[in-house]
Amino acid sequence: MITTELEQLRAEALASLEQAETLDALREWRVTYLGRRGRLTQVLRQLGTIPPEERPRVGAVANRIKDELEAAYEAREAVLKEAALAVTLAAERVDVTLPGRPVDLGGYHPTTLVLREITSAFAELGFQVVEGPEVEWDYYNFEALNIPRDHPARDMWNSFWLTPGGTEAERPMLLRTHTSPMQIRVMEKFRPPIRVVVPGRCYRYEATDATHESMFYQFEGLAVDEGLTFADLKGTLYAFARMLFGPERRVRFRCDYFPFVEPGCDMSIDCSHCGGQGCRVCGGSGWIEIMGAGMVHPQVLRNVGLDPDRYQGFAFGGGPERVAMLKYGIEDIRHFYANDLRFLRQFRW
Amino acid sequence: MRISLRWLNDYVQINLPPEELAHRLSMAGLEVEAIEKLGDFWDSIRVGRVVRLEKHPNADRLWLATVDLGDRQETVVTGAPNLREGVKVPFAPVGAKLIDPAQGKLVELRAARIRGIESRGMVCSEAELGISDDHSGIMILPDDAPVGAPLREYLGDVVLDAKPSPNRPDWFSLLGIAREVGALTGQPVTEPPAEYAEAGPPVGALVQVEIADPDLCLRYCATVITGLKIGPSPEWLQRRLRAAGMRPINNVVDVTNYVMLEWGQPLHAFDLDRVIGRRIIVRRARPGERLVTLDGQDRALPPDALVIADAERAIGLAGIMGGANSEVSETTTAIVLESANFHPTNIRRTATALGLRTEASIRFERAIRPELTVPAARRATALILELAGGQAAQGMVDLYPGQKPETEVTVTAAQIKRLLGTDIPGPEVHRVLGLLGCRVEEPEPGVYRVRPPFWRSDLNIREDIIEELARIIGYDNMPTTMPAGPLPEPIFDPRRDLEEAVRDILVGCGLQEVLTYSLVSKTLLDLFDRNGAPEPLRLVNPMSAEQEYLRTSLRPSLVNTLATNRRRGEVGPVKIFEIGRVYWARPDDLPLELKRVVGVLSGPAGPRVWNRPERELDFYDAKGVLETLFWRLGVDVRFEPGTDPDLHPGKTAVCLVGNARVGVVGELHPRLIDAFELRERPQLFEIDFERLAELPRNSRAYRPVPRYPAVEQDIALVVAETVPAGRLVDIVQGTPYLERVDVFDVYTGPPLSPGEKSVGLGLVFRAPDRTLTEAEVRQLVERLVRRLERAVGARLRA
Ligand SMILES: [Zn+2]
């Protein structure tokens, strides 16, 4: 009797469940059939009226049906929830092609970016960064670097003077024309072993054009110790060039003259623009000069009280703008300090 | 230095293509900046002779020229005014390539009918051949030009434009370069002939020479030639001078220039008849002495200038330029040919003082060797006799007060290895140094006694000799190693780290780094207050008024950068900063170079976007950047109302750490906004990096994570509008358990009375050892409000 009633209830409930189209209707169904005052509960209350020996069997049927209805409810609920979510999601659609809320972007000056690359490359080679004054005595900028007054090599560096009479002054003061005076200051301050790299501003009295600025940066390197050789200079600069310009770069060392080194050289890398075939970037030679360098001149060592029979060293220098021009394909050095934001904002990394 | 390879070939056989030669020279230190090829396109152009010249039947100004090419004759139409029958000319047949002077580029010559007559080719101007810009007439070739010969064989040349380094005066001469080429290629070098008959009277009978200042004149040689005839130089000599970039003048002057280019020894010819007393005295200029030099300039001679004088007056500026009063002219028949050596520094100083750099002074100031005087004098005398005739006097004046012992440098195999990092075998040392003209003895194995050739004044110490070895063997053939040995002690430099951190933080705050010129105009500097800086340092030789003074502040540069970008059309936000130096003069010392950080924020707060209201950057944007910066650096800073002459008095805050003023932030003063013609309200901040670097930084010690929850409570206070919000925050600081205070709202307007404002404070309380109860917090807030009430009359807003 009661089992028939249970089976009928089951069939009716399952059919009714199919009709529940919303989560609200579903909750109502649950109250109707499975709630505390629901139909199934009401049927089960009649269990007390049947003979005790029947109860386990009927109870088992009732439990099975209850479990079945619960499972059907959950399945139905999952379907309806998914449908409801789909509706919500569809309603929440945004126009993803609209631009995002901008985050404020800052940026580094390209000279800074390149100087950071250069100094960290030399840091890997054991060179530490130091800085020095931009306004210098003639002594540090020239005399101590083996460039005496009236030496024709002075023509290589046209200077801005701060003392009347220029080089004729009693103690001539000028804007440094290169970072090389720091060679002297570093050797005066530290004893070997020395390995430093010096970035900084320099100034030359020169007409400006696409490759010349009256103000520019340089980086100067100096290593002094017992037993440093020209081969070590080559090795150091070679390693540097490949760190900065890529492991496939080839380098070339040419004889060059700077009064404070002997032997003197410059280093070129093969032109990545044309692969060494010759193009506009490299002036047709296939090579691009990057740095000047050489073994510290014995007179320079003597000028700072180092014995050239005991110590030897090498020095090198280059221009970060030139490096940046190569790396970024900038054609005119005058862009650097004109600070046109349309130029500066291009350098992101 | 322009090097004609055709000319160079006189002294050394060139067995390399020009490009390869240029490369080898560059690698050895003589940088070749350009290779000019004369005649590389002259494929079918030949030497022709004009055998007939007739009027064009149909045109007044045109001619028909019949040109004999040896194997055939061609008739061409020409308008050139300078043709005559019998002259030799370059002939270009149809199909030849020529430069069109109007376009400046190569075009192919086509057959043409000109007024009814067919022209089968062209006779060419120098411009059409690329020899010069001269297009006024047809190029007339010398009589010795072989008819029918390809013009390139006869006239073609390659010119290397090279840049000798200041230490190599020998590279200012073709012979010096020939010797370099010889060393690089192993070819022998031939000196030019210098033999002549000394048919005249003894030189001493014709001229007397005295060196009055032997400290400045190391050697003075002179020959005398009488009975010569001035005239134009032959074509070959003129052509060579022109190829070298010099202008032909007359046979005597041209020879002096030619031999200077050849030997590197400047020479000067005086008209003997204009040398008063036939006496030459080499002496310092007298006070107030003047000289009209060959260029027509009347010059006051600087003290210590060395002059060549005759019995009465200066007749030349030694080593720089001759005097007009003794100049060789068309009527000259006798000359004194001077070949001397002067003190390099003295020449350089006089030339600099007079602003007169000449081919002669360039060579003397580089310390050419006194040994050059005799061979150059002999060579020039021989050439003048050949080209201008006359008789050479017997012998040569040769006064040599500056004679020095021959240079000798000892270098050992061990020293070579120590410098280059590799052994150079003995035979190789001998071979390389021998190629360079050094004489080398090896008194014991591995010890080289080197006597450099006289023309190499730059070889004086062992490093010079070792460089020669490396250079000739090739730097690229030297080994490459990494330095061994200990690394130096680390140099601890917190300032550098700090600078990089400031840069990173400001970029992270959305600012663009700029780097501006250290040199600025006085006008720009003076727009801003001096702010305690001394008078700016002025350059003695500025290039322009725009870059005349060393800046004492970064502010002008940064505001100027803003204004410049606005003028360029930038309409968006400008947020820029610079970390740079200012230069503060000190008496009798280098200036202080002080680092400053200056930023400017101006214009719209961001680009225009659809979902963010537009607004202008204001004071609080700039202050926010500074707050972020100091917070990131771990510096506890207070902002207090302050003043700064460049900033808006009501919108200026100073940044204080303890009592130290490390910076300032505020809106640019309207006076400056007007001065820069800006239509916006720029915000500016400045940090004294020097002070910042000296500040103690917050300890980075870890604080335990709180174990008990915080209780948050917002209150709204009504206070007089004049009470700064910061004052309220200061007053509540120190309340027990108060962890932080945020000003989350400021409001004025109804229902508040005028002159009142409401300030919302968000309070966060926390006890380290328990959860605070609501009652406790209520009590704390009540106490806090009472303190605010007593201090500034605040009341809680209902
Ligand atoms: Zn290239």
mmCIF file of all heavy atoms in Angstrom, chain B residues 252-275:
data_model
loop_
_atom_site.group_PDB
_atom_site.id
_atom_site.type_symbol
_atom_site.label_atom_id
_atom_site.label_comp_id
_atom_site.label_asym_id
_atom_site.label_seq_id
_atom_site.Cartn_x
_atom_site.Cartn_y
_atom_site.Cartn_z
ATOM 1 N N VAL B 252 109.201 78.851 -58.424
ATOM 2 C CA VAL B 252 109.998 78.793 -57.194
ATOM 3 C C VAL B 252 109.128 78.459 -55.982
ATOM 4 O O VAL B 252 109.426 77.545 -55.204
ATOM 5 C CB VAL B 252 110.752 80.128 -56.984
ATOM 6 C CG1 VAL B 252 111.348 80.184 -55.577
ATOM 7 C CG2 VAL B 252 111.850 80.268 -58.036
ATOM 8 N N VAL B 253 108.028 79.190 -55.846
ATOM 9 C CA VAL B 253 107.149 78.930 -54.690
ATOM 10 C C VAL B 253 106.583 77.516 -54.775
ATOM 11 O O VAL B 253 106.496 76.801 -53.764
ATOM 12 C CB VAL B 253 106.019 79.981 -54.641
ATOM 13 C CG1 VAL B 253 105.018 79.625 -53.548
ATOM 14 C CG2 VAL B 253 106.598 81.359 -54.405
ATOM 15 N N ASP B 254 106.228 77.094 -55.984
ATOM 16 C CA ASP B 254 105.668 75.751 -56.131
ATOM 17 C C ASP B 254 106.675 74.678 -55.716
ATOM 18 O O ASP B 254 106.303 73.675 -55.111
ATOM 19 C CB ASP B 254 105.214 75.516 -57.579
ATOM 20 C CG ASP B 254 103.986 76.363 -57.928
ATOM 21 O OD1 ASP B 254 103.450 77.025 -57.002
ATOM 22 O OD2 ASP B 254 103.577 76.364 -59.097
ATOM 23 N N VAL B 255 107.951 74.903 -56.047
ATOM 24 C CA VAL B 255 108.957 73.910 -55.647
ATOM 25 C C VAL B 255 109.071 73.852 -54.128
ATOM 26 O O VAL B 255 109.155 72.768 -53.534
ATOM 27 C CB VAL B 255 110.320 74.215 -56.301
ATOM 28 C CG1 VAL B 255 111.434 73.414 -55.622
ATOM 29 C CG2 VAL B 255 110.283 73.916 -57.795
ATOM 30 N N THR B 256 109.048 75.026 -53.479
ATOM 31 C CA THR B 256 109.156 74.972 -52.002
ATOM 32 C C THR B 256 107.978 74.184 -51.420
ATOM 33 O O THR B 256 108.153 73.382 -50.502
ATOM 34 C CB THR B 256 109.187 76.384 -51.384
ATOM 35 O OG1 THR B 256 107.994 77.085 -51.733
ATOM 36 C CG2 THR B 256 110.393 77.167 -51.851
ATOM 37 N N ASN B 257 106.779 74.395 -51.976
ATOM 38 C CA ASN B 257 105.628 73.646 -51.474
ATOM 39 C C ASN B 257 105.717 72.162 -51.825
ATOM 40 O O ASN B 257 105.395 71.290 -51.019
ATOM 41 C CB ASN B 257 104.329 74.229 -52.045
ATOM 42 C CG ASN B 257 103.965 75.533 -51.352
ATOM 43 O OD1 ASN B 257 104.286 75.729 -50.176
ATOM 44 N ND2 ASN B 257 103.322 76.433 -52.081
ATOM 45 N N TYR B 258 106.196 71.911 -53.024
ATOM 46 C CA TYR B 258 106.306 70.525 -53.478
ATOM 47 C C TYR B 258 107.261 69.740 -52.589
ATOM 48 O O TYR B 258 106.962 68.626 -52.145
ATOM 49 C CB TYR B 258 106.797 70.520 -54.935
ATOM 50 C CG TYR B 258 106.880 69.142 -55.554
ATOM 51 C CD1 TYR B 258 105.762 68.547 -56.113
ATOM 52 C CD2 TYR B 258 108.100 68.446 -55.585
ATOM 53 C CE1 TYR B 258 105.836 67.290 -56.688
ATOM 54 C CE2 TYR B 258 108.182 67.177 -56.144
ATOM 55 C CZ TYR B 258 107.054 66.609 -56.699
ATOM 56 O OH TYR B 258 107.128 65.365 -57.262
ATOM 57 N N VAL B 259 108.398 70.357 -52.310
ATOM 58 C CA VAL B 259 109.389 69.644 -51.490
ATOM 59 C C VAL B 259 108.920 69.552 -50.038
ATOM 60 O O VAL B 259 109.214 68.576 -49.341
ATOM 61 C CB VAL B 259 110.778 70.315 -51.625
ATOM 62 C CG1 VAL B 259 111.782 69.672 -50.681
ATOM 63 C CG2 VAL B 259 111.254 70.230 -53.074
ATOM 64 N N MET B 260 108.144 70.539 -49.587
ATOM 65 C CA MET B 260 107.566 70.412 -48.240
ATOM 66 C C MET B 260 106.641 69.200 -48.181
ATOM 67 O O MET B 260 106.691 68.414 -47.228
ATOM 68 C CB MET B 260 106.786 71.664 -47.864
ATOM 69 C CG MET B 260 106.054 71.529 -46.539
ATOM 70 S SD MET B 260 105.087 72.994 -46.147
ATOM 71 C CE MET B 260 103.782 72.843 -47.364
ATOM 72 N N LEU B 261 105.829 69.019 -49.199
ATOM 73 C CA LEU B 261 104.933 67.863 -49.217
ATOM 74 C C LEU B 261 105.728 66.567 -49.335
ATOM 75 O O LEU B 261 105.353 65.545 -48.781
ATOM 76 C CB LEU B 261 103.939 67.980 -50.381
ATOM 77 C CG LEU B 261 102.925 69.118 -50.265
ATOM 78 C CD1 LEU B 261 102.168 69.289 -51.572
ATOM 79 C CD2 LEU B 261 101.955 68.833 -49.119
ATOM 80 N N GLU B 262 106.838 66.657 -50.054
ATOM 81 C CA GLU B 262 107.639 65.462 -50.297
ATOM 82 C C GLU B 262 108.432 65.051 -49.052
ATOM 83 O O GLU B 262 108.352 63.920 -48.588
ATOM 84 C CB GLU B 262 108.589 65.744 -51.461
ATOM 85 C CG GLU B 262 109.404 64.569 -51.916
ATOM 86 C CD GLU B 262 110.260 64.961 -53.126
ATOM 87 O OE1 GLU B 262 111.128 65.859 -52.974
ATOM 88 O OE2 GLU B 262 110.058 64.395 -54.210
ATOM 89 N N TRP B 263 109.154 65.998 -48.485
ATOM 90 C CA TRP B 263 110.035 65.690 -47.362
ATOM 91 C C TRP B 263 109.440 66.026 -46.002
ATOM 92 O O TRP B 263 109.963 65.615 -44.972
ATOM 93 C CB TRP B 263 111.369 66.447 -47.511
ATOM 94 C CG TRP B 263 112.337 65.765 -48.410
ATOM 95 C CD1 TRP B 263 112.474 65.957 -49.746
ATOM 96 C CD2 TRP B 263 113.317 64.777 -48.037
ATOM 97 N NE1 TRP B 263 113.470 65.158 -50.243
ATOM 98 C CE2 TRP B 263 114.005 64.415 -49.212
ATOM 99 C CE3 TRP B 263 113.672 64.164 -46.838
ATOM 100 C CZ2 TRP B 263 115.026 63.461 -49.217
ATOM 101 C CZ3 TRP B 263 114.700 63.222 -46.839
ATOM 102 C CH2 TRP B 263 115.354 62.866 -48.026
ATOM 103 N N GLY B 264 108.389 66.844 -45.998
ATOM 104 C CA GLY B 264 107.840 67.278 -44.713
ATOM 105 C C GLY B 264 108.594 68.436 -44.105
ATOM 106 O O GLY B 264 108.337 68.812 -42.960
ATOM 107 N N GLN B 265 109.517 69.008 -44.868
ATOM 108 C CA GLN B 265 110.321 70.128 -44.369
ATOM 109 C C GLN B 265 109.821 71.415 -45.030
ATOM 110 O O GLN B 265 109.956 71.572 -46.246
ATOM 111 C CB GLN B 265 111.798 69.911 -44.727
ATOM 112 C CG GLN B 265 112.692 71.133 -44.539
ATOM 113 C CD GLN B 265 112.852 71.533 -43.080
ATOM 114 O OE1 GLN B 265 113.142 70.690 -42.221
ATOM 115 N NE2 GLN B 265 112.648 72.802 -42.772
ATOM 116 N N PRO B 266 109.241 72.333 -44.231
ATOM 117 C CA PRO B 266 108.832 73.607 -44.827
ATOM 118 C C PRO B 266 110.044 74.397 -45.321
ATOM 119 O O PRO B 266 111.110 74.380 -44.686
ATOM 120 C CB PRO B 266 108.147 74.343 -43.662
ATOM 121 C CG PRO B 266 107.772 73.268 -42.703
ATOM 122 C CD PRO B 266 108.845 72.226 -42.821
ATOM 123 N N LEU B 267 109.876 75.041 -46.449
ATOM 124 C CA LEU B 267 110.959 75.819 -47.054
ATOM 125 C C LEU B 267 110.405 77.200 -47.359
ATOM 126 O O LEU B 267 109.210 77.378 -47.551
ATOM 127 C CB LEU B 267 111.402 75.167 -48.373
ATOM 128 C CG LEU B 267 111.928 73.739 -48.265
ATOM 129 C CD1 LEU B 267 111.854 73.055 -49.614
ATOM 130 C CD2 LEU B 267 113.369 73.751 -47.766
ATOM 131 N N HIS B 268 111.329 78.168 -47.446
ATOM 132 C CA HIS B 268 110.864 79.493 -47.849
ATOM 133 C C HIS B 268 111.916 80.155 -48.726
ATOM 134 O O HIS B 268 113.113 80.096 -48.442
ATOM 135 C CB HIS B 268 110.571 80.375 -46.646
ATOM 136 C CG HIS B 268 109.973 81.693 -47.047
ATOM 137 N ND1 HIS B 268 108.701 81.806 -47.559
ATOM 138 C CD2 HIS B 268 110.486 82.946 -47.053
ATOM 139 C CE1 HIS B 268 108.450 83.073 -47.852
ATOM 140 N NE2 HIS B 268 109.522 83.790 -47.558
ATOM 141 N N ALA B 269 111.450 80.773 -49.813
ATOM 142 C CA ALA B 269 112.373 81.479 -50.707
ATOM 143 C C ALA B 269 112.196 82.979 -50.516
ATOM 144 O O ALA B 269 111.082 83.495 -50.609
ATOM 145 C CB ALA B 269 112.086 81.094 -52.156
ATOM 146 N N PHE B 270 113.313 83.678 -50.210
ATOM 147 C CA PHE B 270 113.300 85.143 -50.152
ATOM 148 C C PHE B 270 113.901 85.659 -51.450
ATOM 149 O O PHE B 270 114.830 85.060 -52.002
ATOM 150 C CB PHE B 270 114.173 85.649 -48.991
ATOM 151 C CG PHE B 270 113.705 85.205 -47.632
ATOM 152 C CD1 PHE B 270 114.238 84.065 -47.024
ATOM 153 C CD2 PHE B 270 112.746 85.939 -46.946
ATOM 154 C CE1 PHE B 270 113.827 83.665 -45.766
ATOM 155 C CE2 PHE B 270 112.337 85.539 -45.682
ATOM 156 C CZ PHE B 270 112.870 84.404 -45.094
ATOM 157 N N ASP B 271 113.381 86.790 -51.900
ATOM 158 C CA ASP B 271 114.000 87.481 -53.031
ATOM 159 C C ASP B 271 115.295 88.097 -52.518
ATOM 160 O O ASP B 271 115.281 89.024 -51.691
ATOM 161 C CB ASP B 271 113.039 88.554 -53.558
ATOM 162 C CG ASP B 271 113.599 89.235 -54.805
ATOM 163 O OD1 ASP B 271 114.850 89.284 -54.961
ATOM 164 O OD2 ASP B 271 112.787 89.728 -55.607
ATOM 165 N N LEU B 272 116.419 87.570 -53.005
ATOM 166 C CA LEU B 272 117.720 87.977 -52.448
ATOM 167 C C LEU B 272 117.932 89.485 -52.564
ATOM 168 O O LEU B 272 118.486 90.117 -51.666
ATOM 169 C CB LEU B 272 118.862 87.223 -53.169
ATOM 170 C CG LEU B 272 120.285 87.549 -52.695
ATOM 171 C CD1 LEU B 272 120.472 87.196 -51.223
ATOM 172 C CD2 LEU B 272 121.319 86.817 -53.546
ATOM 173 N N ASP B 273 117.445 90.070 -53.652
ATOM 174 C CA ASP B 273 117.670 91.506 -53.857
ATOM 175 C C ASP B 273 116.858 92.364 -52.908
ATOM 176 O O ASP B 273 117.078 93.570 -52.807
ATOM 177 C CB ASP B 273 117.341 91.871 -55.314
ATOM 178 C CG ASP B 273 118.315 91.183 -56.269
ATOM 179 O OD1 ASP B 273 119.493 91.037 -55.890
ATOM 180 O OD2 ASP B 273 117.870 90.745 -57.356
ATOM 181 N N ARG B 274 115.873 91.748 -52.228
ATOM 182 C CA ARG B 274 115.070 92.530 -51.284
ATOM 183 C C ARG B 274 115.498 92.253 -49.847
ATOM 184 O O ARG B 274 114.872 92.745 -48.903
ATOM 185 C CB ARG B 274 113.593 92.216 -51.495
ATOM 186 C CG ARG B 274 113.124 92.680 -52.893
ATOM 187 C CD ARG B 274 111.786 92.126 -53.266
ATOM 188 N NE ARG B 274 110.704 92.856 -52.618
ATOM 189 C CZ ARG B 274 109.427 92.554 -52.781
ATOM 190 N NH1 ARG B 274 109.073 91.534 -53.558
ATOM 191 N NH2 ARG B 274 108.486 93.241 -52.169
ATOM 192 N N VAL B 275 116.529 91.416 -49.680
ATOM 193 C CA VAL B 275 117.086 91.166 -48.341
ATOM 194 C C VAL B 275 118.151 92.228 -48.110
ATOM 195 O O VAL B 275 119.248 92.149 -48.670
ATOM 196 C CB VAL B 275 117.691 89.747 -48.251
ATOM 197 C CG1 VAL B 275 118.350 89.537 -46.892
ATOM 198 C CG2 VAL B 275 116.614 88.705 -48.512
#
